[in-house]
Amino acid sequence: TVLAGIAKLRRVLDARIFGQTQLKDALVLGLVSKEHVYVEGPPGAAKTLLAERTAELTQLRPFVYQMHRDTRLHEIVGDAVILRQREADGTEVIRQSTRPGGILSAQIAVLDDISRAPGEALNVLFRILNERRFAQGGDVGSLSLPLISAIATGNPIGADEAPYYGDALDPASLDRFTLQVRSSGL
């Protein structure tokens, strides 16, 4: 049953990772409620480890990606496909679509260091998280996604924290994550 699976997931997380009770609760709750989770904390707080173990233990189709300042949209959503077609009147039409991959084909996503990604990738990613659809453009329409939950991690930003690379997520971006947890180092 689902409840037995949830209890087993929590037991395995507890056996493999010491502490971080609040974070483990949020990850399990995110899966049960089919909501997204944002985890903020300093390096070494087991954020990524817990997110990846959770994805692994669920046996759902995962997408795990380490964000960086050069992250491009196709690395998140799949390959861009360019089609050239000759029309009856001799003109040529060029169409672009996406061969779904990455988060578009995943049931659970781990988006590590999400605040490091550039705005162009984050804008589309946040729309995907919010709508669980991907607009392919043109006359192709939109693609409904199998995504159940996304777990994003980030480092703290602020004057009272150690200086980590990246920018803080703005409140509108954080709004995509129903569950938000601040973890601390062990």
Side-chain angles (χ1 to χ4, degrees), residues 24-91:
K24 291 174 195 172
D25 288 344
L27 294 173
V28 171
L29 184 58
L31 285 167
V32 171
S33 63
K34 298 182 180 181
E35 294 294 343
H36 306 308
V37 181
Y38 177 73
V39 185
E40 182 182 89
K47 303 179 304 288
T48 303
L49 179 64
L50 273 165
E52 289 176 349
R53 284 308 143 275
T54 300
E56 175 187 312
L57 293 167
T58 62
Q59 297 180 351
L60 296 171
R61 193 171 45 255
F63 172 66
V64 178
Y65 189 78
Q66 171 74 48
M67 300 289 190
H68 51 86
R69 64 184 179 95
D70 294 323
T71 296
R72 298 291 173 247
L73 184 59
H74 73 87
E75 296 170 316
I76 298 170
V77 299
D79 296 325
V81 178
I82 308 292
L83 299 172
R84 297 172 72 165
Q85 293 178 316
R86 186 82 51 199
E87 297 291 308
D89 64 0
T91 60

Side-chain angles (χ1 to χ4, degrees), residues 154-173:
N155 292 322
I157 304 295
D160 58 334
E161 304 286 350
Y164 299 111
Y165 179 79
D167 296 323
L169 294 180
D170 62 80
S173 298

Side-chain angles (χ1 to χ4, degrees), residues 3-186:
L3 290 176
I6 293 166
K8 180 180 178 185
L9 170 63
R10 183 53 193 264
R11 279 193 311 273
V12 173
L13 289 175
D14 284 339
R16 292 187 181 180
I17 293 127
F18 180 77
Q20 300 297 6
T21 303
Q22 187 180 23
L23 174 51
K24 291 174 195 172
D25 288 344
L27 294 173
V28 171
L29 184 58
L31 285 167
V32 171
S33 63
K34 298 182 180 181
E35 294 294 343
H36 306 308
V37 181
Y38 177 73
V39 185
E40 182 182 89
K47 303 179 304 288
T48 303
L49 179 64
L50 273 165
E52 289 176 349
R53 284 308 143 275
T54 300
E56 175 187 312
L57 293 167
T58 62
Q59 297 180 351
L60 296 171
R61 193 171 45 255
F63 172 66
V64 178
Y65 189 78
Q66 171 74 48
M67 300 289 190
H68 51 86
R69 64 184 179 95
D70 294 323
T71 296
R72 298 291 173 247
L73 184 59
H74 73 87
E75 296 170 316
I76 298 170
V77 299
D79 296 325
V81 178
I82 308 292
L83 299 172
R84 297 172 72 165
Q85 293 178 316
R86 186 82 51 199
E87 297 291 308
D89 64 0
T91 60
E92 185 176 61
V93 176
I94 299 174
R95 298 186 195 317
Q96 178 180 339
S97 65
T98 300
R99 182 176 301 126
I103 198 167
L104 301 186
S105 60
Q107 294 172 300
I108 186 166
V110 175
L111 307 166
D112 197 24
D113 288 331
I114 194 168
S115 62
R116 290 187 178 192
E120 65 186 34
L122 284 178
N123 287 339
V124 175
L125 178 61
F126 288 146
R127 186 171 190 162
I128 288 169
L129 292 177
N130 192 50
E131 299 175 5
R132 296 178 201 246
R133 300 189 71 72
F134 178 67
Q136 298 214 44
D139 54 2
V140 178
S142 69
L143 177 67
S144 183
L145 307 181
L147 186 65
I148 294 170
S149 183
I151 304 164
T153 69
N155 292 322
I157 304 295
D160 58 334
E161 304 286 350
Y164 299 111
Y165 179 79
D167 296 323
L169 294 180
D170 62 80
S173 298
L174 283 172
D175 193 45
R176 279 19 179 224
F177 301 95
T178 303
L179 300 162
Q180 299 172 22
V181 180
R182 180 172 288 227
S183 65
S184 58
L186 297 176

